[in-house]
Amino acid sequence: MDRTSWIGVIVCAILFFVWTWYAKHTFPPKQTHLTTSSLSTSPTSQDSSSTPSLTAGNPSALKPLPASTPEQTITLENDSIRVLFTSHGGAIKKIDLLQHMGKSKTENIVLHEHSPIPFLARSGWNEGSEIYTLEKQGNQILAKTALNNGLVVERLYSIQNQYQITLQETLRNPSLQTIVLPNFELSLGSGEPIHPHDPITHLKAGWLARETESYKSNAVANMSGGLFKQAKTQIVETTPNLDWAATTNQFFASIVRVPAELKSVEMNWNKIELPKEGDKPTPHLVAMQAEVSFQGLALNPQSTSSWTYEVYTGPKEYALLKNFPDHQSNVVEFGIWGWVIKPLLAVMHYLHQPLSWFGNLYKLNYGWVIILLTVILKLVFWPLQSAANTSMKKMQALAPKMEELKKKHEKDPQKMNAEVMKLYRDYGVNPVGGCLPMLVQLPIFFGLYTMLQSAVEVRNESFLWIHDLAQPDTIYTITGLGWDINPLPLIMTATSILLMKMTPQSSDNPQMKMFQFMPLLFLFMLYNFAAALSLYQTVNTLISMVQTYRNIKTAPPTLQRVKKKKPFGFGNLPSA
């Protein structure tokens, strides 16, 4: 593939990314805001004027409990999670992931730590705030309260295997009258960044429809505004037939599977500000907090109603989530590259498994896994790339003849194009032969690009001087300026420039001058991305340098005219 074709392919790839980002942020799905008056409650056979009921508030009126309210907390844990329960809302205050370390590697990852409303707190049924009493019953937590109208609410929490929690909510009506309950909201907690450099495009809340099985999400980035839209702090969207909802960050998710008895109404996405860590000059941090509202219901005299929420709160690991029902693995959001990413992840996991010749005691570091994966991909596409190199050398050999044709038919472009195509046919040269291998490899590149941005497997994996493959490989921060020194993207850029210098270039081609800026563009794009991306691109470039060197040392092919095949027809039949 010639230089112009390479430029076209790379520019098209960049435009693809730019358009995807622009369309997603400029044309968000249509939002619909419902008011309380439009929401219906379950019918009741008694006159509503004589039926005790709770005050119906705004479905989006979840508010933090007053700090002066006494708080009771109890902890429950297994080998994977430690859950802190609070009496404020009878819900979860925070969750420690015991098998995942934070950015300091001295403390665990904490989910929902800064959520203004506790995770799984419910509101809308009481004047003021709901205060529960907490009681530990073996490996379960019972939260219990009585509301203003006498309704007794019990919330029984159980920790299941690994990252799973169940919440069984029971309503008891001890009175002799029907209690009509208005619409209520359930807090989904918050998707918070783990590291100051985490992209806000991964701070999301989403939901999956029960019937269509389609997953939709909104990110904090959608609220930031821009050139053509105004910044916002809240998004409200109707969510009928909701099956499950989730809040996520780059690597972790909290998924709440809704009981079929409850009918969802709408979902609120809220942008919240996070406090700074002491006096450190950290970037401005935000998070995504969300709630989902449900239709109210009526509880008959001296009756009981109960339902169960199923909760997953842990890593966005596809190998784990694919075993959960109702497509909960959609929170990983592979997009259109899922068909590429899934086999790549499977290969990564296979390479990371204990090596039998080390007695199953050694697991390959993910830095070496990425290098091996890159080498394997280059070997798979080596024959295609070699064929492309041969095609490009044939094109170079034809260049003098093509120049003669251009000069000969300079005033007749149509004649010139026809003669050039005839020249290709005569010498058996495919003008797009050098481009096809690149087009085949583009999905692999995009798949790896998408996968390595949010692969929880590479978190906290150190390699050489890199402390965390999921973060930039910062070795020093310039005091006062806050500029990080990341060596790997600089090495990636240097190798890319060397690769360009190795390839013969035409000095009078103005397009080549633009092409020379491509390494700087990739430096700008990947400088603060995960080091795993820069590692892949650097190794890929180094192998390409070896292949280019072999191509330069190979003698140019000898041009030979292709023998024309005689057309088969009745006039060409052999005589008897």
Side-chain angles (χ1 to χ4, degrees):
M1 187 164 62
D2 59 13
R3 295 297 170 201
T4 304
S5 301
W6 276 97
I7 293 172
V9 170
I10 294 176
V11 170
C12 288
I14 294 173
L15 289 176
F16 172 81
F17 277 117
V18 172
W19 170 251
T20 302
W21 178 90
Y22 176 79
K24 186 174 183 180
H25 292 79
T26 307
F27 308 108
K30 183 178 180 181
Q31 313 294 339
T32 304
H33 187 87
L34 296 183
T35 61
T36 306
S37 59
S38 65
L39 305 177
S40 61
T41 58
S42 300
T44 176
S45 58
Q46 297 188 15
D47 184 5
S48 60
S49 61
S50 61
T51 303
S53 63
L54 301 174
T55 302
N58 188 337
S60 59
L62 267 176
K63 296 180 180 179
L65 288 158
S68 59
T69 306
E71 182 181 21
Q72 177 191 6
T73 59
I74 296 181
T75 300
L76 204 62
E77 66 180 273
N78 60 13
D79 293 336
S80 300
I81 56 176
R82 181 188 301 118
V83 185
L84 181 65
F85 297 90
T86 174
S87 58
H88 290 183
I92 296 173
K93 189 170 185 177
K94 66 175 183 176
I95 300 173
D96 291 71
L97 304 182
L98 304 180
Q99 298 179 5
H100 296 272
M101 304 304 295
K103 59 180 181 293
S104 64
K105 295 189 179 181
T106 58
E107 55 187 19
N108 300 116
I109 290 292
V110 181
L111 302 181
H112 312 293
E113 184 177 16
H114 299 107
S115 178
I117 303 125
F119 180 46
L120 299 181
R122 180 192 35 72
S123 68
W125 286 354
N126 210 37
E127 292 287 352
S129 304
E130 295 182 15
I131 304 299
Y132 288 71
T133 58
L134 301 182
E135 179 185 352
K136 192 170 185 179
Q137 300 180 348
N139 60 349
Q140 296 178 318
I141 297 292
L142 176 63
K144 188 174 182 179
T145 190
L147 304 185
N148 295 342
N149 63 348
L151 184 72
V152 177
V153 181
E154 295 179 356
R155 316 188 91 201
L156 184 64
Y157 292 90
S158 304
I159 296 183
Q160 308 299 322
N161 296 328
Q162 288 187 304
Y163 307 99
Q164 296 170 266
I165 304 171
T166 59
L167 164 59
Q168 182 180 3
E169 188 163 40
T170 303
L171 309 180
R172 305 183 189 278
N173 178 10
S175 70
L176 299 178
Q177 293 179 303
T178 298
I179 296 180
V180 178
L181 300 170
N183 293 6
F184 67 96
E185 278 204 338
L186 185 77
S187 170
L188 301 175
S190 58
E192 306 172 13
I194 300 169
H195 190 278
H197 290 295
D198 288 354
I200 61 175
T201 52
H202 293 285
L203 305 176
K204 298 181 178 181
W207 62 286
L208 183 129
R210 194 181 303 276
E211 296 177 354
T212 62
E213 297 184 347
S214 59
Y215 179 71
K216 292 183 62 178
S217 64
N218 272 311
V220 170
N222 295 351
M223 302 182 178
S224 300
L227 185 61
F228 301 105
K229 59 180 181 179
Q230 187 177 4
K232 58 184 74 172
T233 58
Q234 184 185 55
I235 297 176
V236 183
E237 185 175 347
T238 56
T239 55
N241 302 316
L242 182 145
D243 190 352
W244 54 263
T247 49
T248 70
N249 58 29
Q250 188 172 4
F251 300 105
F252 301 95
S254 294
I255 307 171
V256 181
R257 192 162 177 243
V258 175
E261 296 91 336
L262 300 180
K263 305 300 179 183
S264 59
V265 177
E266 66 182 24
M267 190 167 173
N268 294 333
W269 289 262
N270 301 288
K271 179 180 178 181
I272 59 175
E273 309 288 331
L274 297 184
K276 286 190 174 183
E277 298 181 0
D279 297 329
K280 296 181 181 179
T282 55
H284 180 67
L285 298 181
V286 294
M288 172 69 82
Q289 189 259 342
E291 307 99 29
V292 58
S293 64
F294 297 94
Q295 291 182 7
L297 62 152
L299 209 61
N300 293 325
Q302 296 183 331
S303 64
T304 300
S305 182
S306 180
W307 51 75
T308 302
Y309 301 94
E310 297 176 4
V311 181
Y312 170 88
T313 177
K316 293 195 300 185
E317 187 175 343
Y318 177 76
L320 179 63
L321 290 172
K322 69 178 182 180
N323 300 316
F324 284 76
D326 301 338
H327 309 285
Q328 294 183 43
S329 60
N330 283 357
V331 296
V332 185
E333 295 198 54
F334 289 147
I336 62 174
W337 306 112
W339 62 279
V340 177
I341 296 174
K342 292 174 185 178
L344 289 177
L345 273 175
V347 173
M348 280 185 59
H349 288 160
Y350 177 79
L351 294 174
H352 184 61
Q353 293 305 308
L355 303 179
S356 58
W357 52 84
F358 284 100
N360 291 338
L361 297 177
Y362 179 77
K363 281 191 175 184
L364 198 62
N365 179 277
Y366 266 108
W368 290 111
V369 168
I370 292 171
I371 292 175
L372 276 178
L373 180 62
T374 308
V375 172
I376 291 171
L377 290 174
K378 292 297 287 187
L379 290 177
V380 169
F381 290 108
W382 191 281
L384 281 175
Q385 191 60 51
S386 296
N389 291 340
T390 302
S391 178
M392 285 188 286
K393 293 182 78 69
K394 286 183 178 180
M395 291 287 292
Q396 292 174 359
L398 276 179
K401 296 182 181 295
M402 294 175 64
E403 286 297 326
E404 292 178 5
L405 290 175
K406 290 179 180 179
K407 291 179 180 179
K408 183 178 179 181
H409 305 286
E410 185 177 0
K411 297 182 179 180
D412 191 352
Q414 292 184 350
K415 179 68 174 176
M416 181 187 67
N417 291 334
E419 289 296 326
V420 169
M421 295 306 297
K422 182 177 182 298
L423 188 66
Y424 289 149
R425 290 194 300 268
D426 290 345
Y427 288 94
V429 176
N430 184 355
V432 297
C435 185
L436 290 177
M438 182 63 181
L439 293 178
V440 172
Q441 296 178 62
L442 276 178
I444 302 295
F445 172 78
F446 291 142
L448 280 169
Y449 178 88
T450 304
M451 179 186 75
L452 292 178
Q453 283 190 86
S454 56
V456 68
E457 291 85 352
V458 303
R459 276 201 74 253
N460 285 333
E461 282 281 317
S462 58
F463 182 70
L464 301 179
W465 68 87
I466 305 170
H467 298 292
D468 186 351
L469 283 168
Q471 299 296 333
D473 62 320
T474 304
I475 59 172
Y476 182 73
T477 300
I478 301 177
T479 306
L481 297 177
W483 292 352
D484 296 332
I485 305 300
N486 304 334
L488 197 53
L490 298 174
I491 297 172
M492 175 194 70
T493 304
T495 54
S496 298
I497 293 174
L498 286 175
L499 178 60
M500 291 179 59
K501 296 295 184 182
M502 289 176 61
T503 308
Q505 303 175 16
S506 175
S507 59
D508 60 347
N509 188 348
Q511 292 177 328
M512 288 308 304
K513 295 180 180 179
M514 182 187 73
F515 185 73
Q516 292 172 356
F517 288 99
M518 300 307 294
L520 297 179
L521 179 60
F522 274 94
L523 172 66
F524 175 77
M525 292 173 56
L526 300 181
Y527 192 77
N528 285 317
F529 272 43
L533 280 170
S534 299
L535 178 63
Y536 158 74
Q537 189 62 27
T538 302
V539 175
N540 186 68
T541 304
L542 290 172
I543 300 175
S544 296
M545 291 173 67
V546 174
Q547 195 167 22
T548 301
Y549 179 79
R550 285 173 54 88
N551 182 48
I552 293 173
K553 294 300 182 181
T554 303
T558 303
L559 289 177
Q560 294 181 349
R561 289 182 178 272
V562 178
K563 293 182 179 180
K564 295 182 179 181
K565 295 181 180 180
K566 292 183 179 180
F568 181 80
F570 290 104
N572 297 323
L573 290 175
S575 58

